[in-house]
Amino acid sequence: MVDIYIYSTMPLYDVLPHQLVHLAHQFTFELYTVRNKVLHMLGDTNLHVWLGRTNEEYEKLANKLYPKFPIGDIRIMDLGGGSGAMLYALKPSLDTRPDSWEYLGTDVIENALQLGRDVFKQPNISFELSNIVTDTLPPGYNVILCFGVLLMLEDSHLIGFEKLIDAMPVGGFAHIGGIVPHESTYKFGKPVDVSLYEDVLKSKPGYTYECVNENEYFGLDSYDPYTKSLFIWRK
């Protein structure tokens, strides 16, 4: 399998104008989508775009996340979910769930969304073009997933974070993954101190959360050792 590498000794945000960084992100994700379309035609199930992530590692993520989902009917909103890599990993558990479920995947890359539509042809699964910063998040989704997205939003990441948690209904659960701290060796996104998100949660009544190291919690061994995840509940 061919992967696409972008190497820099400094974060891209420190060496390129922000508009060029956005173009670099979009170009890279478009290339990944083309790769994934070709692999899908060849029978490969790879739908992810992140370097160092495999289908097996997405399964590890899903196996830890699924038990945290609310009991009863669930509506999942996967922000920046691309073609549905997380859905693919969650689907074996979802398909055996006694209660109903539906999935909405959003992204800013239409080609990635169309690949998801081509792969997952079920009435309870949909993919829509949407921007977490500029668009209104639809209400009523009691599971919100946002993996490796906020680090791409540069100075708008707090806007995206607050919109996400405000969209959570009472009894809802959210997972925000791929939070890259300043000591991270990952250079493609914008580092952020996770305490910024924790301060927002502490300022709003009714939220509880847990912060974990992704490698340690999910049993991953091929990604940045400092990357964090937040699990959030709205009571």
Side-chain angles (χ1 to χ4, degrees), residues 166-187:
D166 286 345
M168 294 175 65
V170 173
F173 166 76
H175 169 238
I176 300 176
I179 302 171
V180 177
H182 289 280
E183 62 267 30
S184 171
T185 58
Y186 184 70
K187 306 301 181 186

Side-chain angles (χ1 to χ4, degrees), residues 149-225:
V149 175
L150 296 184
L151 77 164
M152 299 299 169
L153 301 182
E154 60 170 280
D155 295 332
S156 299
H157 67 98
L158 275 175
I159 296 174
F161 178 78
E162 292 210 49
K163 289 179 70 174
L164 184 159
I165 61 173
D166 286 345
M168 294 175 65
V170 173
F173 166 76
H175 169 238
I176 300 176
I179 302 171
V180 177
H182 289 280
E183 62 267 30
S184 171
T185 58
Y186 184 70
K187 306 301 181 186
F188 196 46
K190 187 175 180 66
V192 62
D193 189 340
V194 71
S195 66
L196 291 176
Y197 300 146
E198 293 176 325
D199 288 343
V200 172
L201 290 167
K202 291 173 183 176
S203 72
K204 294 176 177 283
Y207 292 91
T208 59
Y209 68 90
E210 178 185 3
C211 181
V212 300
N213 176 286
E214 286 186 358
N215 272 18
E216 295 173 1
Y217 186 85
F218 293 110
L220 309 178
D221 57 8
S222 63
Y223 210 54
D224 187 277

Side-chain angles (χ1 to χ4, degrees), residues 62-63 66-67 69 87-98 101:
N63 290 339
Y66 181 74
F69 288 6
L87 171 62
Y88 186 84
L90 286 167
K91 203 166 179 300
S93 297
L94 293 171
D95 283 341
T96 59
R97 188 180 180 91
W101 63 274

Side-chain angles (χ1 to χ4, degrees), residues 5-235:
Y5 290 88
I6 291 184
Y7 176 77
S8 173
T9 57
M10 298 176 63
L12 289 184
Y13 287 99
D14 292 340
V15 297
L16 292 175
H18 289 182
Q19 283 187 319
L20 287 181
V21 175
H22 286 306
L23 289 174
H25 288 162
Q26 184 161 355
F27 178 70
T28 302
F29 296 149
E30 291 280 7
L31 287 179
Y32 270 118
T33 300
V34 171
R35 180 202 67 174
N36 291 347
K37 283 185 176 180
V38 173
L39 292 173
H40 176 62
M41 288 188 292
L42 296 175
D44 194 301
T45 56
N46 175 42
L47 295 170
H48 55 83
V49 300
W50 294 109
L51 293 173
R53 285 281 182 249
T54 64
N55 286 345
E56 291 75 19
E57 289 193 308
Y58 268 92
E59 290 173 6
K60 290 181 179 180
L61 288 164
N63 290 339
K64 286 281 194 174
L65 287 175
Y66 181 74
K68 299 181 182 295
F69 288 6
I71 296 172
D73 298 341
I74 57 172
R75 302 180 73 213
I76 303 168
M77 180 164 53
D78 190 1
L79 300 170
S83 302
M86 188 65 76
L87 171 62
Y88 186 84
L90 286 167
K91 203 166 179 300
S93 297
L94 293 171
D95 283 341
T96 59
R97 188 180 180 91
D99 305 294
S100 69
W101 63 274
E102 64 178 270
Y103 171 93
L104 169 64
T106 74
D107 209 281
V108 295
I109 307 294
E110 175 59 32
N111 286 332
L113 296 167
Q114 188 56 52
L115 176 58
R117 297 183 191 110
D118 294 340
V119 172
F120 303 102
K121 297 179 179 180
Q122 291 180 218
N124 60 331
I125 296 174
S126 59
F127 293 86
E128 294 182 5
L129 192 69
S130 180
N131 185 311
I132 186 175
V133 174
T134 59
D135 295 330
T136 300
L137 298 185
Y141 287 87
N142 58 350
V143 175
I144 301 179
L145 307 176
C146 186
F147 185 71
V149 175
L150 296 184
L151 77 164
M152 299 299 169
L153 301 182
E154 60 170 280
D155 295 332
S156 299
H157 67 98
L158 275 175
I159 296 174
F161 178 78
E162 292 210 49
K163 289 179 70 174
L164 184 159
I165 61 173
D166 286 345
M168 294 175 65
V170 173
F173 166 76
H175 169 238
I176 300 176
I179 302 171
V180 177
H182 289 280
E183 62 267 30
S184 171
T185 58
Y186 184 70
K187 306 301 181 186
F188 196 46
K190 187 175 180 66
V192 62
D193 189 340
V194 71
S195 66
L196 291 176
Y197 300 146
E198 293 176 325
D199 288 343
V200 172
L201 290 167
K202 291 173 183 176
S203 72
K204 294 176 177 283
Y207 292 91
T208 59
Y209 68 90
E210 178 185 3
C211 181
V212 300
N213 176 286
E214 286 186 358
N215 272 18
E216 295 173 1
Y217 186 85
F218 293 110
L220 309 178
D221 57 8
S222 63
Y223 210 54
D224 187 277
Y226 301 104
T227 306
K228 309 290 186 184
S229 267
L230 274 176
F231 307 129
I232 305 169
W233 295 265
R234 189 169 189 177
K235 304 298 184 183

